Amino acid sequence: MRKQPLVSILLNVVQEKAALEPCIRGVLAQTYINWELLLPASAAPEDLDDSRIHPVPADSVREMLAEAQGEWIAFLDSDTLWTPNQLEYRLTAVLEHTEGGLCSPELPILCARPTLSSNSSAPDVQELEERISVLEADLKQVRKEKAGAARELEIYRREYGYAIQQRNEYHANNLALMASMSWRLTKPMRLITGGLRRVVHKFPHLLLICKALRTLIARGPRATWKRVRHYRRRVRRLKACARWEKQWIEERGTLVPPPLFGCTFEDYTSQQKATFPKDIKFSILVPLYNTPEQFLREMIASVQHQTYTNWELCLADGSDDQHPEVGELVRKLAEEDSRIRYTKLEENMGISGNTNACLDMATGDYIGLFDHDDLLHPSALYENMVAICEKDADFIYTDETTFQNTPKDAYCPNFKPDFAPDTLRSNNYICHFTVFSRALQEKVGKFRSECDGSQDYDMVLRLTEQAKHIVHIPKLLYYWRCHTASVASDISAKPYVIDAAHKAIGDHLKRIGLEGEVLDASVPSMYHVKYAIPEPKLVSIVICTKDHRHDLKTCVDSILQKTTYPNYEIVIVENNSTEPETFEYYKELEQNPLIRVVTWTSPTKEFNYSAINNYGAEQCSGEYILLLNNDTEVITPNWLEEMVMFVQRSDVGAAGAMLYYPDDTVQHAGVGIGLLGLAAHLHRNFPRNHPGYMSRMSYAQDLSAVTAACIMVRRDVWDEIHGLDETFKVAFNDIDLCMRIRKAGYLIVFTPFAELYHYESKSRGLEDNPEKQKRFAGEIQRFTKRWKKELDAGDPYYNPNLSLDSEDFSVRTDI
């Protein structure tokens, strides 16, 4: 390098002082030595001993720039570490390849600094200001991208950590088993059974007989016969689809014949012949933009193969001049099928503008939203027609799945809950396939360009605000293609989607009269809405307890030490304790003005969870009642805020929290009705911070029930339904409470942002004697009789395609 101009490095502090040391070491290690480092004096380390480092009384890069003496300016964040040759390499590059001003886009950290003297011209100063503005905008964008990448990296690290942990646990358990005496003694038996297994697997029919015998022993003849019938139907269906697929391709040669979706000839033909009491025309909107020819052909074919034929396909083409084949192909197909309508846009108006152009073309009674590279199941419009005629639906959505090449390789079924407003505000779970009445659309208006990227999310929020009959069809009727440029592949393919979603949710909250801040959840494209709490009304925390002083102390200490909510009281309900240390602890607690101890007495000394908590609630004066087990421990300081912000709403009756076992696996993430016979905890035993099925552990959502181990209920709702039913002495009292709250017209919200540990059953013990087991059986019978209709109908927040035999959202295999 011919000359060595002075470079002024402006250090923008965005981290704590401790993070500055490696950053400054990176500057000191530079091979290029003619530099000066300027940083805010308030953040400068005390042991600076290099004369080139200048702490300045400045709070911004703009102010530090006034103190800089260098001919060149370098901008450095405190969370960035330079390699030793970084400055020399970049300065050499800009000196050799530029003539002052900003350097090339590949070398963005240096810019030439005009000399500012008394006779400097105004244009020089103005030019410098413009450059600073550009750099600050670039810096803001880089930080934003880094933050998004950091979030994704953290998710990958957690998933990797879970996998490593599971692998290590498996190896440890395996080694312990192989070292045991029982393993050595059973070796001959394993050799025999292993040989038999290999023989059985060579003969498929013999394998099926063995599976049937295993089911017969485990579940009885009725369940075995049911599985046999299901297997036979499935085999017949697959064979019929294979035969029909071959015949269809021979006759028509299209790329996506209906059999690829698992549609049988009988279903297809019977739906084609079906008649309906209404004459509905569907307008399917598809904005096109440089669509690959294969994707375009397959998309249009999937519409042409619909069993319900009264439709029109509205295609508005915003493709650029380099993709004329899009219009050529569609015009050719439109000549063959008059239901295909096409217009070439004069300019690309963005996704919302292009979709609005489709909308202007539409003449149908109902509108369907469809992406240009996806596929529709042949029964999609038929099933929507059934919903319209039978349920008078004005807004309809279906389940969806993801595929790469053909519908046969679909690999990620998204089985959705019925309409749930809090779930929708956290995640656009409705997404595809969405159909709504033209009258409803005209009421809410067209797509908004300011929400481009999440324009469908914004439209869904506006439509559901006004819809009278929202219907969910729990069938996989939409096939979302996964490729490198699609959101189905990676949300980072379209980062602007998240910003647009923030706006869509924020505008939605304003329209419905709710005040809140929209934040990102731990999973990209999932959101955490923090509702404002205008008035932090009193929360009465009711803890019923019997002895177990240590557990109670852990619980109470965690509340007192961590809780940030400013207005709460703790009501300890004493229940037949006998240990002296328990009463000594009560005296200690009563010294705290936030805590009261009340005594519940029972003539029979019988434990009745419902009666104890009802008594505790009577002693409370709070606007919100929080039932809390004495074997819990608070984790998140804002746990009360996260529940109060829901129950303060008039449409919400109760809110529940995320509870973990001591080993950081999930104990409770909401309750599903009908699972494991009656009710069960969703995602139980999943690792902490796992996103869950379709990320459902990462955001707040409406559910059928939550556990009373930590449940908050608004006082007027509690009084309206008369608290817990005291006939449920131990089990199902919380589920029954939530069912009655929902029957009264209120929502139940689960939030993963209020976290506690739960040392389950420590206080009460297990159902380990005949008396307890008899009582438990009676409560099962009572619950089943009272809620038979709801149990038969199924949980609206748990899709009927998901298994009722597990809590992990596995797919049913018996339908």
Side-chain angles (χ1 to χ4, degrees):
M1 196 161 47
R2 293 184 298 274
K3 58 178 181 177
Q4 289 195 345
L6 178 65
V7 178
S8 295
I9 304 169
L10 310 186
L11 179 57
N12 184 27
V13 178
V14 295
Q15 301 284 349
E16 298 178 357
K17 285 187 178 181
L20 288 174
E21 184 178 346
C23 177
I24 294 175
R25 282 204 309 268
V27 176
L28 291 171
Q30 292 301 301
T31 56
Y32 185 84
I33 60 174
N34 193 17
W35 52 261
E36 64 173 359
L37 176 64
L38 290 81
L39 73 166
S42 59
E46 298 177 357
D47 55 348
L48 295 175
D49 56 359
D50 194 305
S51 60
R52 295 172 296 178
I53 300 177
H54 309 302
V56 295
D59 295 325
S60 69
V61 173
R62 192 181 298 269
E63 292 173 340
M64 282 192 287
L65 186 61
E67 302 288 335
Q69 301 298 316
E71 298 177 44
W72 289 85
I73 305 297
F75 298 92
L76 175 63
D77 277 352
S78 58
D79 57 354
T80 302
L81 181 61
W82 280 355
T83 56
N85 65 342
Q86 183 113 351
L87 195 55
E88 182 173 0
Y89 168 73
R90 297 193 177 209
L91 189 59
T92 301
V94 297
L95 288 176
E96 293 180 356
H97 299 291
T98 68
E99 297 179 357
L102 291 176
C103 64
S104 65
E106 292 77 14
L107 304 169
I109 69 160
L110 287 174
C111 70
R113 181 186 190 278
T115 304
L116 299 180
S117 61
S118 58
N119 58 359
S120 294
S121 62
D124 288 339
V125 179
Q126 183 178 357
E127 181 185 358
L128 184 57
E129 292 287 335
E130 290 174 356
R131 290 173 183 170
I132 292 173
S133 298
V134 171
L135 286 169
E136 287 181 340
D138 290 344
L139 187 60
K140 183 178 180 182
Q141 181 62 28
V142 168
R143 286 177 181 164
K144 188 174 183 180
E145 292 174 358
K146 285 174 63 178
R151 285 196 300 269
E152 292 186 25
L153 180 60
E154 182 59 30
I155 293 170
Y156 296 144
R157 282 175 175 169
R158 283 204 302 267
E159 292 294 332
Y160 177 73
Y162 300 149
I164 294 297
Q165 180 182 350
Q166 291 173 349
R167 184 199 67 182
N168 292 342
E169 289 177 356
Y170 172 80
H171 284 317
N173 293 336
N174 193 36
L175 290 173
L177 177 64
M178 295 178 67
S180 66
M181 179 64 71
S182 60
W183 179 262
R184 292 193 292 270
L185 292 175
T186 56
K187 183 176 180 179
M189 185 180 298
R190 289 198 309 278
L191 292 174
I192 294 171
T193 55
L196 290 173
R197 190 178 293 110
R198 286 190 292 273
V199 172
V200 167
H201 278 274
K202 290 182 179 180
F203 302 95
H205 290 89
L206 184 58
L207 178 62
L208 291 174
I209 292 172
C210 292
K211 287 183 176 180
L213 289 173
R214 185 170 59 188
T215 305
L216 181 65
I217 295 170
R219 304 182 63 181
R222 188 172 182 178
T224 303
W225 178 239
K226 186 177 179 181
R227 292 195 66 176
V228 168
R229 284 188 302 171
H230 168 69
Y231 174 77
R232 292 176 63 186
R233 284 197 301 268
R234 182 170 175 269
V235 170
R236 285 197 299 267
R237 187 182 186 93
L238 290 174
K239 289 181 178 178
C241 284
R243 289 194 299 268
W244 190 34
E245 179 184 344
K246 182 179 180 181
Q247 179 184 350
W248 180 288
I249 293 174
E250 288 174 353
E251 294 176 355
R252 312 190 191 192
T254 53
L255 298 174
V256 282
L260 283 180
F261 296 88
C263 182
T264 65
F265 176 78
E266 291 76 12
D267 289 343
Y268 192 80
T269 54
S270 65
Q271 289 177 13
Q272 283 183 316
K273 297 175 183 177
T275 58
F276 295 96
K278 296 181 179 181
D279 184 21
I280 299 294
K281 181 179 181 180
F282 292 94
S283 294
I284 303 174
L285 312 185
V286 184
L288 303 176
Y289 183 74
N290 298 346
T291 312
E293 182 178 347
Q294 180 185 352
F295 295 174
L296 183 58
R297 286 183 178 276
E298 292 180 353
M299 180 273 292
I300 294 175
S302 74
V303 178
Q304 291 178 311
H305 296 161
Q306 290 298 301
T307 57
Y308 183 82
T309 58
N310 190 8
W311 53 262
E312 64 178 3
L313 181 60
C314 303
L315 305 170
D317 185 7
S319 300
D320 56 35
D321 295 338
Q322 284 73 43
H323 294 81
E325 69 278 2
V326 174
E328 293 170 2
L329 174 60
V330 178
R331 288 190 189 96
K332 180 182 178 181
L333 294 174
E335 290 175 0
E336 301 171 358
D337 191 335
S338 61
R339 295 172 298 178
I340 299 175
R341 307 187 64 191
Y342 172 80
T343 184
K344 180 67 174 87
L345 302 177
E346 294 182 0
E347 61 177 344
N348 178 24
M349 299 181 290
I351 184 64
S352 293
N354 295 355
T355 308
N356 285 334
C358 295
L359 193 57
D360 293 337
M361 300 164 60
T363 61
D365 308 288
Y366 276 73
I367 307 297
L369 304 182
F370 192 22
D371 285 352
H372 67 157
D373 49 3
D374 296 340
L375 302 177
L376 283 182
H377 189 282
S379 303
L381 295 184
Y382 170 85
E383 294 290 351
N384 275 270
M385 192 63 187
V386 171
I388 293 168
C389 295
E390 294 184 356
K391 301 180 180 179
D392 194 26
D394 58 352
F395 182 94
I396 312 160
Y397 66 98
T398 73
D399 292 344
E400 63 190 89
T401 188
T402 306
F403 76 103
Q404 287 186 321
N405 298 312
T406 73
K408 273 187 175 180
D409 66 23
Y411 61 91
C412 186
N414 184 0
F415 293 118
K416 308 170 186 177
D418 288 351
F419 180 64
D422 289 290
T423 309
L424 182 59
R425 291 166 198 154
S426 302
N427 166 32
N428 182 18
Y429 77 94
I430 288 179
C431 205
H432 305 118
F433 175 49
T434 310
V435 172
F436 43 89
S437 73
R438 184 60 180 260
L440 181 60
Q441 178 272 313
E442 290 175 347
K443 190 174 182 179
V444 304
K446 294 184 176 183
F447 292 87
R448 301 192 302 159
S449 59
E450 57 265 40
C451 291
D452 271 359
S454 288
Q455 74 288 335
D456 289 359
Y457 195 2
D458 174 65
M459 178 60 82
V460 166
L461 287 166
R462 289 189 283 139
L463 291 168
T464 53
E465 292 166 20
Q466 303 292 335
K468 295 181 179 178
H469 300 103
I470 301 174
V471 174
H472 166 221
I473 302 174
K475 296 182 180 181
L476 295 173
L477 301 179
Y478 193 96
Y479 286 70
W480 197 359
R481 189 187 300 271
C482 177
H483 56 91
T484 53
S486 70
V487 178
S489 171
D490 183 3
I491 190 66
S492 64
K494 298 181 179 179
Y496 59 90
V497 169
I498 294 177
D499 294 334
H502 277 242
K503 177 170 179 55
I505 301 169
D507 291 350
H508 161 72
L509 296 178
K510 293 176 184 176
R511 288 192 301 270
I512 63 174
L514 292 176
E515 183 182 351
E517 180 184 8
V518 183
L519 305 174
D520 291 324
S522 59
V523 176
S525 78
M526 308 296 158
Y527 307 101
H528 177 193
V529 179
K530 292 182 74 71
Y531 296 97
I533 303 176
E535 183 181 355
K537 298 178 180 178
L538 180 65
V539 175
S540 296
I541 304 173
V542 179
I543 306 174
C544 64
T545 185
K546 177 183 178 181
D547 293 319
H548 290 271
R549 175 188 182 278
H550 175 74
D551 296 327
L552 179 60
K553 179 173 172 46
T554 299
C555 176
V556 173
D557 286 351
S558 70
I559 296 172
L560 297 175
Q561 294 170 10
K562 296 182 179 180
T563 302
T564 56
Y565 188 78
N567 193 12
Y568 68 91
E569 65 173 357
I570 302 174
V571 178
I572 309 292
V573 186
E574 155 57 27
N575 160 38
N576 299 314
S577 295
T578 58
E579 298 173 0
E581 63 177 10
T582 302
F583 296 97
E584 293 175 5
Y585 182 54
Y586 290 159
K587 293 179 181 178
E588 178 183 333
L589 289 176
E590 289 178 323
Q591 302 301 312
N592 191 318
L594 296 177
I595 302 175
R596 287 186 292 129
V597 179
V598 299
T599 301
W600 177 82
T601 56
S602 169
T604 62
K605 302 290 184 181
E606 183 182 28
F607 178 80
N608 187 321
Y609 180 88
S610 299
I612 297 169
N613 279 282
N614 284 343
Y615 174 76
E618 291 174 1
Q619 313 304 311
C620 297
S621 52
E623 180 73 16
Y624 310 118
I625 298 171
L626 175 69
L627 305 185
L628 186 66
N629 276 20
N630 65 338
D631 55 356
T632 57
E633 181 181 356
V634 174
I635 298 174
T636 50
N638 64 336
W639 66 297
L640 289 183
E641 289 93 333
E642 290 291 346
M643 289 190 282
V644 167
M645 70 182 191
F646 288 109
V647 297
Q648 69 179 352
R649 285 172 24 199
S650 61
D651 61 331
V652 176
M658 174 76 82
L659 304 180
Y660 303 109
Y661 289 116
D663 63 353
D664 279 327
T665 58
V666 172
Q667 187 267 341
H668 168 268
V671 174
I673 304 301
L675 278 72
L676 305 185
L678 290 180
H681 289 186
L682 303 173
H683 290 113
R684 192 166 67 90
N685 293 323
F686 272 55
R688 183 178 176 182
N689 295 325
H690 192 287
Y693 175 71
M694 291 297 161
S695 302
R696 287 184 61 164
M697 276 171 51
S698 69
Y699 57 80
Q701 60 204 268
D702 300 309
L703 293 176
S704 287
V706 293
T707 179
C710 182
I711 182 174
M712 184 181 290
V713 185
R714 199 167 61 253
R715 165 69 72 175
D716 62 306
V717 176
W718 179 273
D719 293 339
E720 180 182 346
I721 64 168
H722 307 294
L724 293 164
D725 184 342
E726 297 182 12
T727 62
F728 292 100
K729 297 179 180 179
V730 177
F732 303 109
N733 39 55
D734 47 1
I735 313 302
D736 174 77
L737 174 74
C738 291
M739 297 289 278
R740 287 185 288 119
I741 290 174
R742 286 184 54 236
K743 190 173 183 179
Y746 301 100
L747 296 170
I748 306 291
V749 180
F750 158 75
T751 173
F753 304 109
E755 300 174 287
L756 299 89
Y757 285 115
H758 184 201
Y759 309 98
E760 188 179 29
S761 296
K762 273 191 174 183
S763 306
R764 180 174 56 85
L766 303 174
E767 315 296 343
D768 54 2
N769 63 55
E771 182 181 352
K772 288 184 178 181
Q773 292 170 356
K774 182 179 179 181
R775 186 261 312 144
F776 184 66
E779 291 177 342
I780 291 177
Q781 185 177 9
R782 190 177 304 109
F783 183 87
T784 304
K785 183 177 180 181
R786 174 176 291 180
W787 301 108
K788 183 179 187 305
K789 180 181 178 181
E790 288 75 10
L791 289 169
D792 290 344
D795 190 332
Y797 303 111
Y798 186 83
N799 194 290
N801 293 288
L802 298 172
S803 174
L804 298 176
D805 297 329
S806 66
E807 302 157 296
D808 60 359
F809 288 83
S810 55
V811 178
R812 289 182 68 173
T813 59
D814 59 343
I815 57 174

